Amino acid sequence: MRTPTDDFSIHDLSVYVPPRRVSVERLAAEIVQHGGVFSGEEIRRFKTDYRFSHVPVERERSLPEMLREACHPLVERLRRQSLPIDRILMVRTSELSWHDENMLREVLHTYGLQERPFHAIGQHNCASVHLALRMARNLFRTDPYTSGILLVSADKAIHPFFRRLPDSLLGDCASACYLIRGRKLHRTLLIENVVDPTFYDGISGKAEDWKWFQTTYFFALRQIIMTTLRKASLAFDDVRLLIGSNVNYRTWQVLAEMLRLRPDKFYTETIAEAGHLYCSDILYNLQAAVADGRLRKGDLYLTVSVGIGSYGCALHQF
Amino acid sequence: MKRNRQEVFMEILTVFNENNVNTDALSFDVRLDAPDFPIDSVLFMKLLVDLENRFQIELNYPEALGAEKPTLGSLTDYIEGCLARKTQ
C-alpha cells in the first residue's frame, strides 16, 4: 500500500449526543404543526427505506453548552497527558443559528486557549468535516510549530423545519477530536475532496439544482471512494469498513450493490437511533464501530461524507 | 482505436438503450440536468458506470458533469477527450 500522506493521527475524541430522542412520527407531527409537510407516505419511506427511527433533540442546552459537553472530557484528558492544543478548527454544517457569536468562548476561557489560532470551516455542508481534515493536514505540513489540533463540530436545529432534508433527518450533536502530528496509532493516510461548484447555494439552491444533486449523488460518491482507494493502491478487500455519514440507509445500500460489496461493509448501525448528526456523524460512528468490535487494531477503513455538491473521503488506519 | 464525436455519441446511446432508456429524442443538446432528461440517481450511476466499462475509462465526476449546464454533447466531448488521451 502506498501512503501518500501520513502526517497526522486521531489521538482522542469525544461526542456529545443529547439523551432525549424524538421519533420520526413525532418529528413529522411537529413539522406539520408548524405548517410544513411530512406525509404518511414520507414517514413510511423515512422509517422503512431510510431506516430512521429517532433523532436526538436538545431542548435544554444551548449550542455553546453542547460544545462544552463534548470538549470538556477530551480537553481534560489532553491536559493530563500534557498534550498541547496549538490550533482550533471549528466545523459548522448549518448556516442558521441564533447563538453564533462565539460558541467556543467558555471552552476557550476555561482552558486558557483564547490566543490560539482559530479556523472556522463551513459552506461544504455535511462534507465540511473532510475539508477540515484536509485543512489540518495542510496546517501540520506547513507549520512545524503545530503539533496538536482540536477539531470541534456542533449543530443544533433551531426549528423543526431544519431537521428535515429531502432524504434525511438531522439530530443535534457536538463532537471534539484531537489530531496529533506524526505517525501514531490511529493514522489518517489520505484525504480526498471533490467539490461541484454548481451547488454553491447549498441548501438554499434552486429546485433544479437539488434535482441535479440528487441525480449525480450516487455516482459522485462512488467515484470519490474509488479514487481514494486507487490513490492508495488498495482494493475494497483491503479495507475493513466504510464509515459514512448517516445521510440515510438507502444511500449505502445502493452503493454497496453498485460496488458489489456486502451491505455490512458500510457501517449503518447508528442511523436508526441517532439520525444524521451533521458533521459529527463520522466521529460518532467511529466511536460506535470501535465499541461494536467492527474495527480492530491495524484495520484500514474509509470515512465518507457528502454535503450538497461537496464530497469527502479519507483513508485511516486504526 | 480513435473515435470521432459522432461515433462516441452513438456508442453512448447504445449503452443507454441497453439500460432501457428511450433515446429517440436524445441529441447533443439535451441537458443531463432535467427536465429534458429525467432519470433517477440509481439508473444515472449505472449508465455512467456502464460507460466507463464500455470505453475503458474513468469518468472524473466534476470534469465529466460539473459544467454549469451539462449536456449529452459535453459528456460526449469529455469521453472523446479521454479516448484521445488514451491513444496518445
Side-chain angles (χ1 to χ4, degrees), chain A residues 57-308:
Chain A
V57 173
E58 181 63 70
R59 298 271 198 233
E60 290 156 16
R61 289 176 176 80
S62 65
L63 206 49
E65 287 169 335
M66 289 168 60
L67 263 174
R68 185 188 61 203
E69 293 292 330
C71 290
H72 179 74
L74 174 63
V75 179
E76 282 296 331
R77 289 196 292 270
L78 297 177
R79 288 181 108 184
R80 286 198 291 274
Q81 296 166 71
S82 302
L83 289 169
I85 295 172
D86 299 308
R87 290 176 183 270
I88 298 163
L89 296 185
M90 173 82 213
V91 180
R92 288 294 309 283
T93 309
S94 338
E95 294 161 22
L96 293 164
S97 180
W98 57 51
H99 32 41
D100 247 350
E101 190 188 347
N102 186 347
M103 291 195 303
L104 267 179
R105 182 196 302 272
E106 188 185 327
V107 172
L108 298 179
H109 279 268
T110 303
Y111 294 102
L113 299 170
Q114 301 94 315
E115 301 300 319
R116 295 296 184 279
F118 184 98
H119 312 270
I121 298 164
Q123 302 294 325
H124 289 258
N125 307 299
C126 300
S128 300
V129 62
H130 279 94
L131 199 72
L133 290 177
R134 172 179 287 266
M135 189 164 173
R137 183 195 67 187
N138 292 347
L139 287 167
F140 281 126
R141 279 183 176 175
T142 54
D143 177 14
Y145 299 105
T146 293
S147 50
I149 294 176
L150 182 68
L151 191 160
V152 295
S153 181
D155 285 282
K156 178 180 177 181
I158 60 172
H159 189 282
F161 278 5
F162 296 118
R163 292 206 180 279
R164 190 196 157 165
L165 297 173
D167 300 295
S168 194
L169 281 185
L170 294 159
D172 302 328
C173 188
S175 59
C177 172
Y178 184 68
L179 306 173
I180 191 165
R181 173 186 292 280
R183 184 184 291 205
K184 311 286 183 193
L185 284 177
H186 190 173
R187 298 185 292 158
T188 294
L189 304 169
L190 200 151
I191 304 157
E192 191 70 16
N193 303 90
V194 169
V195 179
D196 185 339
T198 54
F199 303 110
Y200 67 93
D201 262 354
I203 202 160
S204 311
K206 296 191 290 279
E208 63 191 68
D209 292 339
W210 266 98
K211 176 75 174 58
W212 182 234
F213 166 62
Q214 287 171 321
T215 303
T216 54
Y217 169 83
F218 286 120
F219 180 68
L221 273 172
R222 174 192 183 269
Q223 297 312 86
I224 197 169
I225 292 169
M226 303 280 282
T227 302
T228 306
L229 286 176
R230 181 173 46 76
K231 285 188 175 177
S233 305
L234 291 173
F236 279 108
D237 284 346
D238 300 317
V239 173
R240 171 78 64 186
L241 201 60
L242 286 90
I243 298 180
S245 49
N246 284 355
V247 56
N248 61 49
Y249 177 77
R250 183 170 177 270
T251 292
W252 308 120
Q253 181 194 30
V254 168
L255 272 173
E257 278 173 24
M258 286 305 293
L259 295 166
R260 299 176 200 280
L261 301 172
R262 293 190 325 270
D264 65 356
K265 192 84 173 179
F266 287 91
Y267 189 78
T268 56
E269 276 79 346
T270 66
I271 290 174
E273 290 304 315
H276 183 8
L277 303 173
Y278 301 88
C279 277
S280 293
D281 274 339
I282 299 292
L283 293 179
Y284 182 74
N285 284 344
L286 174 58
Q287 214 173 36
V290 173
D292 290 351
R294 296 282 301 277
L295 269 185
R296 291 189 289 269
K297 192 175 172 183
D299 282 346
L300 291 165
Y301 69 97
L302 293 175
T303 54
V304 189
S305 65
V306 52
I308 302 159

Side-chain angles (χ1 to χ4, degrees), chain A residues 38-69:
Chain A
F38 207 131
S39 68
E41 168 53 25
E42 287 174 318
I43 292 174
R44 186 211 61 76
R45 177 159 51 93
F46 273 75
K47 293 189 72 171
T48 308
D49 299 348
Y50 300 162
R51 305 253 177 115
F52 291 110
S53 173
H54 293 77
V55 293
V57 173
E58 181 63 70
R59 298 271 198 233
E60 290 156 16
R61 289 176 176 80
S62 65
L63 206 49
E65 287 169 335
M66 289 168 60
L67 263 174
R68 185 188 61 203
E69 293 292 330

Side-chain angles (χ1 to χ4, degrees), chain B residues 43-60:
Chain B
L43 178 56
F44 188 80
M45 175 167 69
K46 183 160 187 325
L47 289 175
L48 294 177
V49 171
D50 285 354
L51 288 176
E52 283 192 336
N53 293 333
R54 172 69 62 123
F55 292 107
Q56 291 295 300
I57 57 170
E58 185 179 328
L59 297 175
N60 178 296

